[in-house]
Structures are given as structure tokens and as C-alpha cells.
Amino acid sequence: MQFPRYALVPAPADPGPHVLALCQDVTGLFAEPARPARVRYELRGCEPRGELYRAVTQAVVEGTAPFGTLVVDLHGTRWALADTRILGMRGDVVTVEATGEPRPAHHTADPVPCGNLIPVTRAAPEEQTHTDVTFLGCSPRGELRDALAAGAEEFREVHYQGLTRIGNEHHEGEAGRITGWDTSARHRGLVDLTVSFPRTCLVPLATGEIWDLFWHARPTEPGTWRRFTGAARGEWLDRAAAHGSYGAPELVPGATYHLDGTDIVDEDSFRCALGEAVLGPGRCLGAGNFGATAEDLAGATVVWHHADVARACLGVLPYGGHRPATFQELVGGLTDAGVRLVLD
């Protein structure tokens, strides 16, 4: 098969990294993902301490307390609950609410030892949580080919991979059970495979558009990144970085670059605009590391036009941990690296 765009592969728990099918296209994958369901759990045989003890105390007084990621140790196996809220405690049972199902956790400090983790909320039926996604023009391999030849109506859960034109993987995600197959009407000699796909794992339309733009080659129209907003600009940067530096112009010591700041409203848009100003459309500098980006430009002059837009938008956000860089931090990072910066 020439230039497949997708591959179906075993889920991580299955042995072997082999490919189960190569596919030409897909329908139903690109749509707004559903939000993960909130599930209530009981942590039984639990002894709260530290931050969890403080959260339990707050929940007893106020009825609920935010906790973030909670890692529990069940007889030596660690599980993480995401976006957790503590709801209360009775005896040695702590009641919590979290997003989705517990995930295996590794190398975490200070997990909470518990005797058991019991879901209290009844799971929604699959018809509410899953939708059909069809991979078109597939060439089954190995055990999937054998299963279809034997007349199997279903196949176990699989993952899917998005592929570049040269066959490299650029994305992998959960797909679900293969629930049906039929001879492909659009691709002679191939089959279409229908998968019961989790609605939470659907891919936003903007992401699919970006994958298409980078499929044949790097986009060449200036400013194409501007049509995307929010998280989609992060996906744009990922695809630009994945294409590497082949064919990029040489960085000339002492050169002057003009940065159009009209749409620089966050750190991702800054990196999109700067990569295009220096290297051309569809390119980025530094592969996600702003320090490396600034060092690449040491000795150059950057004229930042309409800098007032970023000055107004890139302020300090009121939350801890990792946060986007502020305008002054971007300016300081460039100048500290030896870039002559002119704010216009």
C-alpha cells in the first residue's frame, strides 16, 4: 500500500509492536471530543495524611475540596486519579470524585496507602460513551487478517496511529474495539474497519486540518498558522517541529528579522510568528524550548512590530506551577541570549 495515512496497532497491554492494519483514510474521527465523565470512588482502608488530610478536613467543613491528581497505593500497585475532589470521610472510607478511570502511576512520591478503590458511580452504557469511527481502505495483517478470514465479527481493543507521508508515526491514541468490517467501496481489494471509538478521544477538527496541511509537505502560504487558535497552535508547532530543519534557510549572524506581532496573544502564537519570521512558513525555532529558540538568534536583530498586542495579552496568570511566559519574560529571554530587540 502506498502512502497509508493511518495504522491500527495493538493496545499497549498487548505484546509486540506489530502493525495490525494500514489504512488510507478515516471517517468520524474528527469532531469535538466529549469531556471525560466524572466518577465517584470510595477509598477504603485509607489513612489520610499530609495534603490529603488537609483536603479531607476542608471537605468535612465545606462539603468538597479540590485536590488535583491523587495517587493511591493498593497493595504495592499505584493508581492515579485525575482532577480529583475530596467529598468527605466516614470511618476509614474517603469519598472522592475524579475525571475518568484510574491510570497506572509510576515513580510518584508519597502515594496514599489504601486497602481498596471502589467505583460508586454506575458506568454509562457504551452507546453513550462511544461512537463509530471507520478506517477506510485498510490492509489487515497478522492476527487481525486471520480473524477476519475466520469470519470474526469483532476484534479486541486497538490503538491507531496517524502517519506522515513517509510512514513515520506523528500521533497515537486509543481507538477501541473493532466491531465490524466490509469490503471497501472506494479502495479496491481493501476493507473498511469500523471501531467503537471513545467520544473523549475524538480529535478536534482544527487538529485534523493541521494534519492535512502538513501531510504532503510543509505549508508554504505565509500566516497560515493564524487561522488556528488555542490548543491548535500547539499542534501546529508540534507538526512544524516534526518536519525538522531540512531545507530551512541558514541563520545569518547579525541579520535583521521582522516579527509581525499583530496576532501574538500567547506564547504559542509568539513561537509561530517568530518561526515564520526567521525561517519561513510552516517552521518553528527551538522545538518547544524557548531558551534554545533565543540562543539560536544570538547576535541577530529582531524588530517586533505591534509589540503592544503582546504587552497587553501576555500577563501573569493567577495559578501556580507551569504557566505561559509573560511579555517581559519573552523580552528578557531574547535580550539575555544576545538578541538585539527593537519593540515597534
Side-chain angles (χ1 to χ4, degrees):
M1 178 186 296
Q2 190 176 28
F3 304 133
R5 300 193 66 166
Y6 299 93
L8 297 180
V9 298
D14 286 350
H18 56 284
V19 172
L20 295 170
L22 293 173
C23 306
Q24 295 283 8
D25 209 345
V26 68
T27 61
L29 175 63
F30 300 106
E32 188 63 30
R35 292 187 176 184
R38 299 286 292 172
V39 183
R40 185 168 294 190
Y41 297 92
E42 288 184 352
L43 308 180
R44 299 181 180 178
C46 183
E47 297 182 9
R49 58 194 183 205
E51 292 297 325
L52 180 58
Y53 178 81
R54 285 187 281 274
V56 166
T57 302
Q58 180 182 345
V60 170
V61 175
E62 301 180 7
T64 181
F67 193 82
T69 299
L70 172 63
V71 179
V72 297
D73 187 326
L74 303 179
H75 310 292
T77 302
R78 297 180 179 187
W79 297 90
L81 295 170
D83 191 20
T84 309
R85 296 193 71 86
I86 311 302
L87 301 183
M89 183 173 183
R90 186 179 68 249
D92 65 350
V93 178
V94 177
T95 304
V96 305
E97 187 182 73
T99 297
E101 298 180 354
R103 300 284 185 178
H106 307 284
H107 309 297
T108 53
D110 299 325
V112 178
C114 293
N116 211 340
L117 175 63
I118 305 296
V120 178
T121 307
R122 180 178 298 178
E126 186 170 314
E127 57 265 26
Q128 295 181 16
T129 60
H130 289 64
T131 187
D132 284 347
V133 169
T134 303
F135 290 86
L136 306 172
C138 300
S139 174
R141 297 181 172 192
E143 55 193 307
L144 176 57
R145 178 186 57 202
D146 295 342
L148 297 184
E153 296 182 358
E154 289 194 358
F155 192 79
R156 65 177 184 273
E157 291 190 1
V158 298
H159 276 212
Y160 77 98
Q161 294 177 343
L163 304 178
T164 66
R165 186 174 173 84
I166 61 174
N168 295 330
E169 171 201 342
H170 67 74
H171 174 82
E172 180 171 332
E174 180 182 349
R177 292 180 299 112
I178 297 176
T179 57
W181 66 279
D182 200 356
T183 301
S184 180
R186 293 168 49 186
H187 303 277
R188 181 180 298 179
L190 302 176
V191 298
D192 296 340
L193 299 170
T194 300
V195 174
S196 181
F197 203 94
R199 294 180 185 272
T200 55
C201 296
L202 293 171
V203 178
L205 291 170
T207 298
E209 186 178 350
I210 291 169
W211 290 358
D212 286 341
L213 285 168
F214 280 90
W215 166 247
H216 287 288
R218 202 183 303 271
T220 58
E221 181 182 348
T224 304
W225 64 269
R226 298 175 189 274
R227 75 175 72 161
F228 303 103
T229 60
R233 287 180 172 171
E235 182 66 31
W236 174 277
L237 290 167
D238 288 344
R239 298 277 52 77
H243 272 253
S245 59
Y246 177 78
E250 292 281 340
L251 295 178
V252 180
T256 297
Y257 301 104
H258 291 268
L259 174 62
D260 182 355
T262 305
D263 293 301
I264 296 179
V265 296
D266 54 25
E267 188 173 345
D268 282 345
S269 53
F270 168 77
R271 294 187 57 231
C272 288
L274 185 62
E276 180 169 295
V278 175
L279 298 176
R283 297 187 181 275
C284 70
L285 284 163
N289 184 329
F290 174 63
T293 299
E295 291 174 3
D296 287 343
L297 293 173
T301 297
V302 173
V303 182
W304 189 338
H305 301 283
H306 306 291
D308 57 307
V309 175
R311 193 193 303 274
C313 294
L314 276 69
V316 177
L317 300 182
Y319 59 84
H322 176 73
R323 57 168 175 75
T326 67
F327 175 75
Q328 288 301 329
E329 287 169 340
L330 293 177
V331 169
L334 289 171
T335 55
D336 290 348
V339 179
R340 181 175 178 267
L341 189 61
V342 179
L343 302 180
D344 180 12

Coordinates of all heavy atoms in Angstrom, one line a residue, residues 236-315:
W236 N 0.1 22.9 15.8 CA 0.8 23.4 14.6 C 2.3 23.4 14.9 O 3.1 23.0 14.0 CB 0.4 24.9 14.3 CG 1.1 25.6 13.3 CD1 2.3 26.2 13.4 CD2 0.8 25.7 11.9 NE1 2.8 26.7 12.2 CE2 1.8 26.4 11.3 CE3 -0.3 25.3 11.1 CZ2 1.8 26.7 9.9 CZ3 -0.3 25.6 9.8 CH2 0.7 26.3 9.2
L237 N 2.7 23.8 16.1 CA 4.2 23.9 16.4 C 4.7 22.4 16.5 O 5.9 22.2 16.0 CB 4.4 24.6 17.8 CG 4.1 26.1 17.8 CD1 4.0 26.6 19.2 CD2 5.2 26.8 17.0
D238 N 4.0 21.5 17.0 CA 4.4 20.1 17.0 C 4.7 19.6 15.6 O 5.7 18.9 15.4 CB 3.4 19.2 17.7 CG 3.4 19.5 19.2 OD1 4.3 20.1 19.8 OD2 2.4 19.1 19.9
R239 N 3.7 19.8 14.7 CA 3.9 19.3 13.3 C 5.1 20.0 12.6 O 5.8 19.4 11.9 CB 2.6 19.6 12.5 CG 1.4 18.8 13.1 CD 1.3 17.4 12.6 NE 2.5 16.6 12.8 CZ 2.9 16.1 14.0 NH1 2.1 16.3 15.1 NH2 3.9 15.4 14.1
A240 N 5.2 21.3 12.9 CA 6.3 22.1 12.3 C 7.7 21.5 12.8 O 8.6 21.3 12.0 CB 6.2 23.6 12.6
A241 N 7.7 21.2 14.1 CA 9.0 20.7 14.7 C 9.3 19.3 14.1 O 10.4 18.9 13.9 CB 8.9 20.7 16.2
A242 N 8.2 18.5 14.0 CA 8.4 17.1 13.5 C 9.0 17.1 12.1 O 9.6 16.1 11.7 CB 7.1 16.4 13.6
H243 N 8.7 18.1 11.3 CA 9.2 18.1 9.9 C 10.7 18.4 9.9 O 11.4 18.3 8.8 CB 8.5 19.1 9.1 CG 7.3 18.5 8.4 ND1 7.2 18.2 7.1 CD2 6.1 18.1 8.9 CE1 6.0 17.7 6.8 NE2 5.3 17.6 7.9
G244 N 11.3 18.8 11.0 CA 12.7 19.1 11.1 C 13.2 20.3 10.4 O 12.4 21.2 10.0
S245 N 14.5 20.4 10.2 CA 15.1 21.7 9.7 C 15.5 21.5 8.2 O 16.1 22.4 7.7 CB 16.3 22.0 10.6 OG 17.2 21.0 10.6
Y246 N 15.2 20.4 7.6 CA 15.6 20.2 6.2 C 15.1 21.3 5.3 O 13.9 21.7 5.3 CB 15.1 18.9 5.7 CG 15.4 18.6 4.2 CD1 16.7 18.2 3.9 CD2 14.5 18.8 3.2 CE1 17.1 18.0 2.6 CE2 14.8 18.6 1.9 CZ 16.1 18.2 1.6 OH 16.4 18.0 0.3
G247 N 16.0 21.9 4.6 CA 15.6 23.0 3.7 C 15.4 24.4 4.3 O 15.1 25.3 3.6
A248 N 15.6 24.5 5.6 CA 15.5 25.8 6.3 C 16.6 26.7 5.9 O 17.8 26.2 5.7 CB 15.5 25.6 7.8
P249 N 16.4 28.0 5.8 CA 17.5 28.9 5.5 C 18.5 29.0 6.6 O 18.1 28.7 7.8 CB 16.7 30.2 5.3 CG 15.5 30.1 6.1 CD 15.1 28.7 5.9
E250 N 19.7 29.3 6.3 CA 20.8 29.4 7.3 C 20.5 30.7 8.1 O 20.1 31.7 7.6 CB 22.1 29.6 6.6 CG 22.6 28.3 5.9 CD 23.2 27.3 6.9 OE1 23.5 27.7 8.0 OE2 23.2 26.1 6.5
L251 N 20.7 30.6 9.4 CA 20.7 31.8 10.3 C 21.9 32.6 10.1 O 23.0 32.1 10.3 CB 20.5 31.4 11.7 CG 19.2 30.6 12.1 CD1 19.2 30.3 13.6 CD2 18.0 31.5 11.8
V252 N 21.8 33.8 9.7 CA 22.9 34.6 9.3 C 23.3 35.5 10.5 O 22.4 36.3 11.0 CB 22.6 35.5 8.1 CG1 23.8 36.4 7.8 CG2 22.2 34.7 6.9
P253 N 24.5 35.4 11.1 CA 24.9 36.3 12.2 C 24.7 37.8 11.8 O 25.1 38.2 10.8 CB 26.4 35.9 12.4 CG 26.5 34.6 11.8 CD 25.6 34.5 10.7
G254 N 24.1 38.5 12.8 CA 23.9 39.9 12.5 C 22.7 40.3 11.7 O 22.5 41.4 11.4
A255 N 21.9 39.3 11.2 CA 20.8 39.5 10.3 C 19.7 40.2 11.1 O 19.6 40.2 12.3 CB 20.3 38.2 9.7
T256 N 18.8 40.9 10.4 CA 17.6 41.5 11.0 C 16.4 40.8 10.5 O 16.2 40.6 9.4 CB 17.6 43.0 10.6 OG1 18.7 43.7 11.1 CG2 16.3 43.7 11.1
Y257 N 15.5 40.5 11.5 CA 14.2 39.8 11.2 C 13.1 40.7 11.7 O 13.2 41.3 12.8 CB 14.2 38.4 11.9 CG 15.3 37.5 11.5 CD1 16.4 37.3 12.3 CD2 15.3 36.9 10.3 CE1 17.5 36.5 11.9 CE2 16.3 36.0 9.9 CZ 17.4 35.8 10.7 OH 18.5 35.0 10.3
H258 N 12.0 40.7 10.9 CA 10.8 41.5 11.3 C 9.7 40.6 11.8 O 9.2 39.7 11.0 CB 10.4 42.3 10.1 CG 11.4 43.4 9.7 ND1 11.3 44.7 10.2 CD2 12.5 43.4 8.9 CE1 12.3 45.4 9.7 NE2 13.0 44.6 9.0
L259 N 9.3 40.7 13.0 CA 8.3 39.9 13.6 C 7.0 40.7 13.7 O 6.9 41.7 14.3 CB 8.8 39.6 15.1 CG 7.8 38.8 16.0 CD1 7.5 37.5 15.4 CD2 8.4 38.7 17.4
D260 N 6.0 40.1 13.0 CA 4.7 40.7 12.9 C 3.9 40.3 14.2 O 3.5 39.1 14.3 CB 3.9 40.3 11.7 CG 2.6 40.9 11.5 OD1 2.1 41.6 12.5 OD2 1.9 40.7 10.5
G261 N 3.7 41.2 15.1 CA 3.1 40.9 16.4 C 1.6 41.1 16.4 O 1.0 41.1 17.5
T262 N 1.0 41.2 15.2 CA -0.5 41.5 15.2 C -1.3 40.5 15.9 O -2.3 40.8 16.6 CB -1.0 41.6 13.7 OG1 -0.2 42.5 13.0 CG2 -2.4 42.0 13.6
D263 N -0.9 39.2 15.8 CA -1.7 38.2 16.4 C -1.0 37.4 17.5 O -1.3 36.3 17.8 CB -2.2 37.2 15.3 CG -3.1 37.8 14.3 OD1 -4.2 38.2 14.8 OD2 -2.8 37.8 13.1
I264 N 0.0 38.0 18.1 CA 0.7 37.4 19.2 C 0.0 37.7 20.5 O 0.1 38.7 21.1 CB 2.2 37.9 19.3 CG1 2.9 37.5 18.0 CG2 2.9 37.3 20.5 CD1 4.4 37.9 18.0
V265 N -0.8 36.7 20.9 CA -1.6 36.8 22.1 C -1.3 35.8 23.2 O -1.9 35.9 24.3 CB -3.1 36.7 21.7 CG1 -3.5 37.9 20.8 CG2 -3.4 35.4 21.1
D266 N -0.4 34.9 22.9 CA 0.1 33.9 23.9 C 1.4 33.4 23.5 O 1.9 33.8 22.4 CB -1.0 32.8 24.1 CG -1.3 32.1 22.8 OD1 -0.5 32.1 21.8 OD2 -2.4 31.5 22.7
E267 N 2.0 32.5 24.3 CA 3.3 32.0 24.0 C 3.4 31.2 22.7 O 4.3 31.3 21.9 CB 3.8 31.2 25.1 CG 5.3 30.8 25.0 CD 5.8 30.1 26.2 OE1 5.2 30.1 27.3 OE2 6.9 29.5 26.1
D268 N 2.3 30.4 22.4 CA 2.3 29.6 21.2 C 2.3 30.5 19.9 O 3.0 30.2 19.0 CB 1.2 28.6 21.2 CG 1.4 27.4 22.0 OD1 2.6 27.2 22.4 OD2 0.4 26.7 22.3
S269 N 1.5 31.5 20.0 CA 1.4 32.4 18.8 C 2.7 33.2 18.6 O 3.1 33.4 17.5 CB 0.2 33.3 18.9 OG 0.2 34.1 20.1
F270 N 3.4 33.5 19.7 CA 4.7 34.1 19.6 C 5.7 33.2 18.9 O 6.4 33.6 18.0 CB 5.2 34.4 21.0 CG 6.7 34.8 21.1 CD1 7.1 36.1 20.7 CD2 7.6 33.9 21.5 CE1 8.5 36.4 20.7 CE2 9.0 34.2 21.5 CZ 9.4 35.5 21.1
R271 N 5.7 31.9 19.3 CA 6.6 31.0 18.6 C 6.2 30.7 17.2 O 7.1 30.5 16.3 CB 6.7 29.7 19.4 CG 7.3 29.8 20.8 CD 7.4 28.5 21.5 NE 8.3 27.6 20.7 CZ 7.9 26.4 20.4 NH1 6.8 25.9 20.8 NH2 8.7 25.6 19.7
C272 N 4.9 30.7 16.9 CA 4.5 30.5 15.5 C 5.0 31.7 14.6 O 5.6 31.5 13.5 CB 3.0 30.4 15.4 SG 2.3 28.9 16.0
A273 N 4.8 32.9 15.1 CA 5.1 34.1 14.4 C 6.6 34.2 14.2 O 7.1 34.6 13.2 CB 4.5 35.3 15.0
L274 N 7.4 33.9 15.3 CA 8.8 34.1 15.3 C 9.4 33.0 14.3 O 10.4 33.4 13.6 CB 9.4 33.9 16.7 CG 10.9 34.2 16.8 CD1 11.3 35.6 16.4 CD2 11.4 33.9 18.2
G275 N 9.0 31.8 14.4 CA 9.5 30.8 13.5 C 9.3 31.2 12.0 O 10.2 31.0 11.2
E276 N 8.1 31.7 11.7 CA 7.8 32.1 10.3 C 8.7 33.3 9.9 O 9.2 33.4 8.8 CB 6.4 32.4 10.2 CG 6.0 32.9 8.7 CD 4.5 32.9 8.5 OE1 3.9 31.9 8.6 OE2 4.0 34.0 8.3
A277 N 8.9 34.3 10.9 CA 9.7 35.5 10.5 C 11.1 35.1 10.2 O 11.8 35.7 9.4 CB 9.6 36.5 11.7
V278 N 11.6 34.1 10.9 CA 13.1 33.8 10.8 C 13.3 32.7 9.7 O 14.2 32.9 8.9 CB 13.6 33.3 12.2 CG1 15.1 32.9 12.0 CG2 13.5 34.4 13.2
L279 N 12.5 31.7 9.7 CA 12.8 30.5 8.9 C 11.8 30.3 7.7 O 12.0 29.6 6.8 CB 12.8 29.2 9.7 CG 13.8 29.2 10.8 CD1 13.6 27.9 11.6 CD2 15.2 29.2 10.2
G280 N 10.6 31.0 7.8 CA 9.7 30.9 6.7 C 8.4 30.1 7.2 O 8.4 29.6 8.3
P281 N 7.4 30.1 6.3 CA 6.1 29.5 6.7 C 6.3 28.0 7.1 O 7.1 27.3 6.6 CB 5.3 29.6 5.4 CG 5.9 30.7 4.7 CD 7.3 30.7 5.0
G282 N 5.5 27.6 8.1 CA 5.4 26.2 8.5 C 6.7 25.7 9.3 O 6.9 24.5 9.4
R283 N 7.4 26.6 9.8 CA 8.6 26.3 10.6 C 8.6 26.9 12.0 O 7.9 27.8 12.2 CB 9.9 26.7 9.8 CG 10.1 26.1 8.5 CD 11.4 26.5 7.9 NE 11.6 25.9 6.5 CZ 12.1 24.6 6.3 NH1 12.4 23.9 7.4 NH2 12.2 24.2 5.1
C284 N 9.4 26.3 12.9 CA 9.5 26.8 14.2 C 10.9 26.7 14.7 O 11.7 26.0 14.1 CB 8.5 26.1 15.2 SG 9.0 24.4 15.6
L285 N 11.2 27.5 15.7 CA 12.6 27.5 16.2 C 12.5 26.8 17.6 O 11.6 27.0 18.4 CB 13.0 29.0 16.4 CG 13.5 29.8 15.2 CD1 13.5 31.2 15.5 CD2 14.9 29.3 14.8
G286 N 13.6 26.1 17.9 CA 13.8 25.6 19.3 C 13.0 24.4 19.7 O 13.3 23.9 20.8
A287 N 12.1 23.9 18.9 CA 11.4 22.6 19.2 C 10.8 22.6 20.6 O 11.0 21.7 21.3 CB 12.3 21.4 19.0
G288 N 10.1 23.7 21.0 CA 9.4 23.7 22.3 C 10.2 24.3 23.4 O 9.7 24.5 24.5
N289 N 11.5 24.6 23.2 CA 12.4 25.1 24.3 C 12.7 26.6 24.0 O 13.4 26.9 23.0 CB 13.7 24.3 24.3 CG 14.5 24.8 25.5 OD1 14.6 25.9 25.9 ND2 15.3 23.8 26.0
F290 N 12.0 27.5 24.7 CA 12.2 28.9 24.4 C 13.7 29.4 24.6 O 14.2 30.2 23.8 CB 11.3 29.8 25.3 CG 11.5 31.3 25.1 CD1 11.3 31.9 23.8 CD2 12.0 32.1 26.1 CE1 11.6 33.2 23.7 CE2 12.2 33.4 25.9 CZ 12.0 34.0 24.7
G291 N 14.4 28.8 25.6 CA 15.8 29.1 25.8 C 16.6 28.8 24.5 O 17.4 29.6 24.1
A292 N 16.3 27.6 24.0 CA 17.1 27.2 22.7 C 16.7 28.2 21.6 O 17.5 28.5 20.7 CB 16.8 25.8 22.4
T293 N 15.4 28.6 21.5 CA 15.0 29.5 20.5 C 15.8 30.8 20.5 O 16.2 31.3 19.5 CB 13.5 29.8 20.6 OG1 12.8 28.5 20.5 CG2 13.0 30.8 19.6
A294 N 15.9 31.3 21.7 CA 16.6 32.6 21.9 C 18.1 32.5 21.6 O 18.6 33.3 20.9 CB 16.4 33.1 23.4
E295 N 18.7 31.4 22.0 CA 20.1 31.2 21.7 C 20.4 31.0 20.2 O 21.4 31.5 19.7 CB 20.6 29.9 22.4 CG 20.6 30.1 23.9 CD 21.0 28.8 24.7 OE1 21.3 27.8 24.0 OE2 21.0 28.8 25.9
D296 N 19.4 30.5 19.5 CA 19.6 30.3 18.0 C 19.7 31.7 17.4 O 20.3 31.9 16.3 CB 18.4 29.6 17.4 CG 18.4 28.1 17.7 OD1 19.5 27.6 18.1 OD2 17.4 27.5 17.5
L297 N 19.1 32.7 18.0 CA 19.1 34.1 17.4 C 20.1 35.0 18.0 O 20.1 36.2 17.7 CB 17.7 34.7 17.6 CG 16.5 34.0 16.9 CD1 15.2 34.6 17.3 CD2 16.7 34.2 15.4
A298 N 21.0 34.5 18.8 CA 22.1 35.3 19.4 C 22.8 36.1 18.3 O 23.2 35.5 17.3 CB 23.0 34.5 20.2
G299 N 23.0 37.4 18.5 CA 23.7 38.2 17.5 C 22.8 38.8 16.5 O 23.2 39.7 15.8
A300 N 21.5 38.4 16.4 CA 20.6 38.9 15.4 C 19.8 40.1 15.9 O 19.8 40.3 17.2 CB 19.6 37.8 14.9
T301 N 19.2 40.8 15.1 CA 18.3 41.9 15.5 C 16.8 41.5 15.1 O 16.6 41.0 14.0 CB 18.6 43.2 14.8 OG1 19.9 43.6 15.1 CG2 17.6 44.3 15.1
V302 N 15.9 41.5 16.1 CA 14.5 41.2 15.9 C 13.7 42.5 16.1 O 13.8 43.1 17.2 CB 14.0 40.1 16.8 CG1 12.5 40.0 16.6 CG2 14.7 38.8 16.5
V303 N 13.0 43.0 15.0 CA 12.2 44.1 15.1 C 10.7 43.6 15.4 O 10.1 43.0 14.5 CB 12.2 45.0 13.9 CG1 11.3 46.2 14.0 CG2 13.7 45.4 13.6
W304 N 10.2 43.8 16.6 CA 8.9 43.3 16.9 C 7.9 44.4 16.7 O 7.7 45.3 17.5 CB 9.0 42.9 18.4 CG 7.8 42.1 18.9 CD1 6.5 42.1 18.4 CD2 7.7 41.3 20.1 NE1 5.7 41.3 19.1 CE2 6.4 40.8 20.1 CE3 8.7 40.9 21.0 CZ2 6.0 39.9 21.2 CZ3 8.3 40.0 22.0 CH2 7.0 39.5 22.1
H305 N 7.2 44.2 15.6 CA 6.1 45.2 15.2 C 4.8 44.9 16.0 O 4.5 43.7 16.3 CB 5.8 45.1 13.7 CG 7.0 45.4 12.8 ND1 7.5 46.7 12.6 CD2 7.9 44.6 12.1 CE1 8.6 46.6 11.8 NE2 8.8 45.4 11.5
H306 N 4.1 45.9 16.3 CA 2.8 45.8 17.1 C 3.1 45.0 18.4 O 2.3 44.2 18.8 CB 1.8 45.1 16.2 CG 1.5 45.7 14.9 ND1 0.9 46.9 14.7 CD2 1.8 45.2 13.6 CE1 0.9 47.2 13.4 NE2 1.4 46.2 12.8
A307 N 4.2 45.3 19.0 CA 4.5 44.7 20.3 C 3.5 45.0 21.4 O 3.4 44.2 22.4 CB 5.9 45.1 20.8
D308 N 2.7 46.1 21.2 CA 1.7 46.4 22.2 C 0.6 45.4 22.4 O 0.0 45.2 23.4 CB 1.1 47.8 21.9 CG 0.4 47.8 20.5 OD1 1.1 47.4 19.5 OD2 -0.7 48.1 20.4
V309 N 0.4 44.6 21.3 CA -0.6 43.5 21.4 C -0.2 42.5 22.5 O -0.9 42.1 23.4 CB -0.8 42.8 20.0 CG1 -1.8 41.6 20.2 CG2 -1.4 43.8 19.0
A310 N 1.1 42.0 22.3 CA 1.6 41.0 23.3 C 1.7 41.6 24.7 O 1.5 40.9 25.7 CB 2.9 40.5 22.8
R311 N 2.1 42.9 24.7 CA 2.3 43.5 26.0 C 1.0 43.5 26.8 O 0.9 43.3 28.0 CB 2.8 45.0 25.9 CG 3.3 45.6 27.2 CD 3.4 47.1 27.0 NE 4.3 47.4 25.9 CZ 5.6 47.5 26.0 NH1 6.2 47.3 27.2 NH2 6.4 47.8 24.9
A312 N -0.1 43.7 26.1 CA -1.4 43.7 26.7 C -2.0 42.3 27.0 O -2.7 42.1 28.0 CB -2.4 44.4 25.8
C313 N -1.6 41.3 26.3 CA -2.2 40.0 26.4 C -1.4 39.0 27.2 O -1.9 38.1 27.9 CB -2.4 39.3 25.0 SG -3.6 40.2 24.0
L314 N -0.1 39.1 27.3 CA 0.8 38.1 27.9 C 1.1 38.6 29.3 O 2.2 39.0 29.7 CB 2.1 37.9 27.1 CG 2.0 36.9 26.0 CD1 1.1 37.4 24.9 CD2 3.4 36.5 25.5
G315 N 0.1 38.6 30.2 CA 0.3 38.9 31.6 C 0.5 37.7 32.5 O 0.6 36.6 32.0

